[in-house]
């Protein structure tokens, strides 16, 4: 009753009451990059000239810190200009479980689609890497943490199958902090097996799969296709693992080694084959395709 009254009187306030507005709904800050000419580098804490970082494919000119890159930007960075042909653009996520956490999954999907301009967390297709035709997939950590729901799993599986049929080398760039997408329950978990099975058939057919791990590659993505590359590249200082370090520490109760779950640590322990700076990535992929001499 009292609340009702105060609401009513607030409505009747003159326009000057508008200073209450910012409190009501502050816009969520955009990830990473504020508008303007400068940005702070989390790697070296320096303020760097944004354009300078962009010129270097979004890496820090000072310390080579690798900033977040969206899926469409990855396509531009890695494929020859004008060669990308996107596959399965019409696949749309649904809400089979009627799932809700802080908000209903259906609403979350809509909000993420509007914010990122993507239908789900993956873009797939074909294009050229320095004039070599490849099948290409990329996941984007900005869309529900790049997690693998049914659409991501289906798109990647179809890409692997098409690469098998058309004898194409396969490149998948992972940027997934979320693993399997819990909003789709078992339907997202089964994508891990589905895409892995397709990769096994691709492998049996003699295909070359280059998996590129970027910051972050975690959970069910790390535990399925991302780890199954014939060759596994990782960008410097990327977070790569299954469960997060805090969860592991709380479970096993021992101090984790320094640098645990970074590209550098994983290279030392044999989990990845090479750390490749973003500026070299395209050339290294092309070189690896030639070197392996597979389709
Ligand atoms: Zn830096």
């Amino acid at each position: 009753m009292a609340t009702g009254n105060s609401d009513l009187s607030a409505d009747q306030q003159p326009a000057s009451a508008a200073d209450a507005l910012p409190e009501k709904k502050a816009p969520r800050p955009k990830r990473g990059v504020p508008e303007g000419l400068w940005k702070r580098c989390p790697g070296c804490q320096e303020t760097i000239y944004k354009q300078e970082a962009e010129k270097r494919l979004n890496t820090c000119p000072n310390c080579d810190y690798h900033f977040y890159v969206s899926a469409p930007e990855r396509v531009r960075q890695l494929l020859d200009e004008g060669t990308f042909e996107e596959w399965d653009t019409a696949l749309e996520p649904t809400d089979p479980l009627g799932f809700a956490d802080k908000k209903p999954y259906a609403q979350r999907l809509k909000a993420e689609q509007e914010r990122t301009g993507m239908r789900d967390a993956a873009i797939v297709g074909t294009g050229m890497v320095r004039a070599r035709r490849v099948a290409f997939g990329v996941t984007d950590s900005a869309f529900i943490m790049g997690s693998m729901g049914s659409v991501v799993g289906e798109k990647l599986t179809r890409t692997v199958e098409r690469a098998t049929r058309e004898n194409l080398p396969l490149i998948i760039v992972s940027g997934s902090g979320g693993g399997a997408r819990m909003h789709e329950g078992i339907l997202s978990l089964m994508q891990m097996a589905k895409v892995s099975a397709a990769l096994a058939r691709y492998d049996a057919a003699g295909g070359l799969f280059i998996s590129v791990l970027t910051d972050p590659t975690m959970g069910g993505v790390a535990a399925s296709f991302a780890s199954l590359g014939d060759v596994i590249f990782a960008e410097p200082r990327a977070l790569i693992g299954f469960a997060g370090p805090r969860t592991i520490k709380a479970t096993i109760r021992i101090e984790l080694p320094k640098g645990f779950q970074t590209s550098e640590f994983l290279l030392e322990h044999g989990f990845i084959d090479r750390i490749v700076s973003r500026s070299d990535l395209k050339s290294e992929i092309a070189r690896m395709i030639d070197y392996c001499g597979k389709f």
Side-chain angles (χ1 to χ4, degrees):
M1 186 79 183
T3 323
N5 278 342
S6 74
D7 275 349
L8 195 65
S9 62
D11 284 347
Q12 289 166 346
Q13 297 267 332
S16 67
D19 18 8
L21 270 180
E23 250 185 53
K24 214 172 158 192
K25 205 179 181 186
R28 198 167 148 232
K30 284 193 190 133
R31 70 185 344 266
V33 191
E35 292 302 309
L37 287 174
W38 303 90
K39 67 176 168 185
R40 167 84 75 168
C41 169
C44 60
Q45 312 302 326
E46 294 286 316
T47 303
I48 57 168
Y49 193 38
K50 221 169 111 179
Q51 230 177 17
E52 197 59 40
E54 276 161 17
K55 239 192 277 169
R56 299 170 40 106
L57 309 180
N58 248 327
T59 59
C60 174
N62 209 23
C63 72
D64 199 39
Y65 177 85
H66 282 45
F67 290 95
Y68 157 80
V69 167
S70 70
E73 185 58 33
R74 286 275 177 201
V75 170
R76 281 191 288 275
Q77 288 185 0
L78 291 175
L79 300 180
D80 300 347
E81 203 182 335
T83 61
F84 185 62
E85 172 202 321
E86 195 174 345
W87 291 338
D88 296 311
T89 50
L91 285 183
E92 283 266 15
T94 58
D95 180 19
L97 308 181
F99 189 89
D101 47 17
K102 280 180 190 150
K103 57 175 155 180
Y105 180 46
Q107 261 179 42
R108 183 180 298 278
L109 282 172
K110 209 159 166 245
E112 294 287 288
Q113 286 171 338
E114 275 165 21
R115 195 172 56 81
T116 61
M118 295 174 62
R119 292 202 176 181
D120 207 303
I123 292 181
V124 299
T126 182
M128 303 281 211
V129 178
R130 302 217 191 285
R132 297 150 185 86
R133 181 160 292 284
V134 301
F136 185 84
V138 52
T139 64
D140 190 329
S141 63
F143 193 105
I144 316 189
M145 296 169 80
S147 54
M148 179 160 60
S150 308
V151 169
V152 172
E154 182 64 19
K155 275 188 161 185
L156 291 176
T157 302
R158 288 186 189 190
T159 304
V160 177
E161 288 175 343
R162 205 156 157 182
T164 313
R165 281 198 307 275
E166 298 182 14
N167 295 345
L168 294 173
L170 171 70
I171 320 296
I172 300 179
V173 181
S174 304
S176 291
R181 192 176 296 168
M182 61 167 187
H183 312 74
E184 295 181 21
I186 191 70
L187 296 168
S188 79
L189 287 173
M190 67 168 276
Q191 305 306 319
M192 292 169 64
K194 189 171 83 178
V195 67
S196 300
L199 280 169
R201 290 190 293 270
Y202 176 72
D203 186 56
L208 168 67
F209 170 30
I210 301 172
S211 178
V212 181
L213 314 184
T214 72
D215 185 54
T217 299
M218 297 295 285
V221 167
S224 63
F225 64 88
S227 310
L228 291 174
D230 295 299
V231 181
I232 301 181
F233 289 162
E235 287 191 337
R237 286 176 276 174
L239 177 71
I240 300 161
F242 185 63
R246 248 177 313 165
T247 313
I248 299 177
K249 209 169 152 184
T251 310
I252 61 174
R253 291 161 202 266
I254 57 167
E255 205 53 46
L256 297 169
K258 199 169 176 286
F260 181 65
Q261 291 185 326
T262 58
S263 308
E264 290 71 17
F265 185 90
L266 294 171
L267 177 69
E268 213 172 287
H269 291 80
F271 185 85
I272 60 175
D273 295 302
R274 186 177 292 178
I275 294 173
V276 183
S277 247
R278 194 172 288 158
S279 52
D280 299 329
L281 199 50
K282 188 172 179 179
S283 302
E284 284 300 312
I285 290 171
R287 194 201 308 268
M288 194 52 69
I289 293 171
D290 293 349
Y291 183 71
C292 291
K294 291 184 169 187
F295 61 67

